Amino acid sequence: MFSGVPPLFSHVANIISGDIDCSQLSLQAHATDGSPYQVRPQAVIYPKTTSDIKHVIAFAKEYSIPLTVCGGITAASGGALGEGIILDMTRYFSHIRHVNMMDHTVTVDAGVTIDELRLKLAGWNLEIPVLQPEDSRATVGGLVATKSATRSTFYAGTIREWIEGMTIVVDSGEEHAIKDGITPSGRLLGIYQSIFPLLSEHGPTLRAARREQSDDATGYSLWNTSIGPRQLLDQLVGSEGTLAVITSVTFRVVPRKPHNHTLLITIPENSLLETSVTIAKHHHAEALYMFDHAFRHMTDTFHPLLLRPEIPETPYYLLTTFQDTDAEQASKKGKMFLKALPFPCEEYAIPEKNVYKLSSHTFLHSLFTTYTKGAHMIATSAEGLIVPIHSYSACIQALDEALLKSGLLYTLSGYAGSGHIALTASFDGKSQTFERDLQEFRELVCGIVAHFKGGISAVGGDGLERTTALPFVFNEATREVFKKLKAAWDPAGIFNPGKKIAIQKEFLLKHAIRTFL
């Protein structure tokens, strides 16, 4: 299918079996995500085969056109926005390829949504615990590319721990499978031979720069210096499509725990938040989500049935989920947890469908949009904050103290088990200082998180929003290694350029959306 194809793209349109769409409607739909930025592409291509991807890569290299892969465009960091070609994997790379009951693995295309995968696995009484319903619209490729934390990553590990292998298309157009036991060949071998000495040479620099939080996806993951495919997999997970095009992923699966019991815990003061999280982990909670009183106030105002009205108002709340193969055992875990808390707390059970909605970033964004009647823009640069769990309460207090002086409408929430904090704030898009205000907010918040030795990209990747803040997390020497890694994989610089290594602040100012109206 061709739609409104200009002469520049006529050749590639004639040689691919997939679709190319240059209509105004499609370009506009792919120009925005949940971030306050708009970047209009030149064409949207839906590849049907890996041969299509090979042709598109060759075309992009020949004409020096940026190539950005996208899935569900659900992230709020601008990671899937690009000025050149958008390679949309959702139309044809959308199949669950193979389930291996003997090896306990499932192989899926990059464009499969989390909702589709979870539903299919549930039919076989299997699951990948790190995948959560609130990410239902996200695609497998998107979640792998951003290495996003979820409510369960503190317990189940990051998505990287569940990946057994993947297939990718590299800059030469070659398709490669990467998994244990496979020896790199062709172009992939050349990439590996460039990277291994790079990591060895800069080992001391990288070791000094390593963060405590495995969930964070800021920059590239260069900490695995082992020989073999696992090193390459580590670099690809969280790379945000800047190194290669992921076409399929093979995951490890485990038997499903069908029964969930979620309690809403009222946290009377900041210092008890960290304590409550630690106790929940000790009692084998499998999912945690924190939100503050401002979040609760907006929820009660616009969605009064999601939370029980008798729940007292406190500064913070903690959704604590216990799972089991037996419903009674799941409930028993919750009761034992309540008894272990160092403060009195009633048992407020919350239905799972409400938990999924409350912990979705799209729900939070909808609250702000409704509250401000669409006149304000949401800053998403601080929604991926993450700090060591021992600094969780202190960092939240520091953020609160700094923002109370600003007069901004904001909320604090996050996947507390991992130390994740989503600081969501709104800005007046009609203000003459709108762009500058966004930038100052980003620098203020990132400075606080850096003080606690945290990261900024635990959810949604670096994207446009957070790449400019990379110096708050990594020093210049480490960022130079990132650039050399990018050059080894993508010497022509066509894969999602700017993300992960460098982007000009002027670019952000130019592409900021001032208002929804």
Side-chain angles (χ1 to χ4, degrees), residues 436-451:
R436 188 186 68 195
D437 293 342
L438 275 179
Q439 183 174 314
E440 290 178 352
F441 168 78
R442 184 184 306 115
E443 292 176 355
L444 169 67
V445 170
C446 290
I448 292 172
V449 172
H451 173 75

Side-chain angles (χ1 to χ4, degrees), residues 14-28:
N14 288 325
I15 60 175
I16 65 171
S17 58
D19 308 330
I20 180 168
D21 192 345
C22 299
S23 66
Q24 296 303 309
L25 183 63
S26 181
L27 298 183
Q28 187 58 38

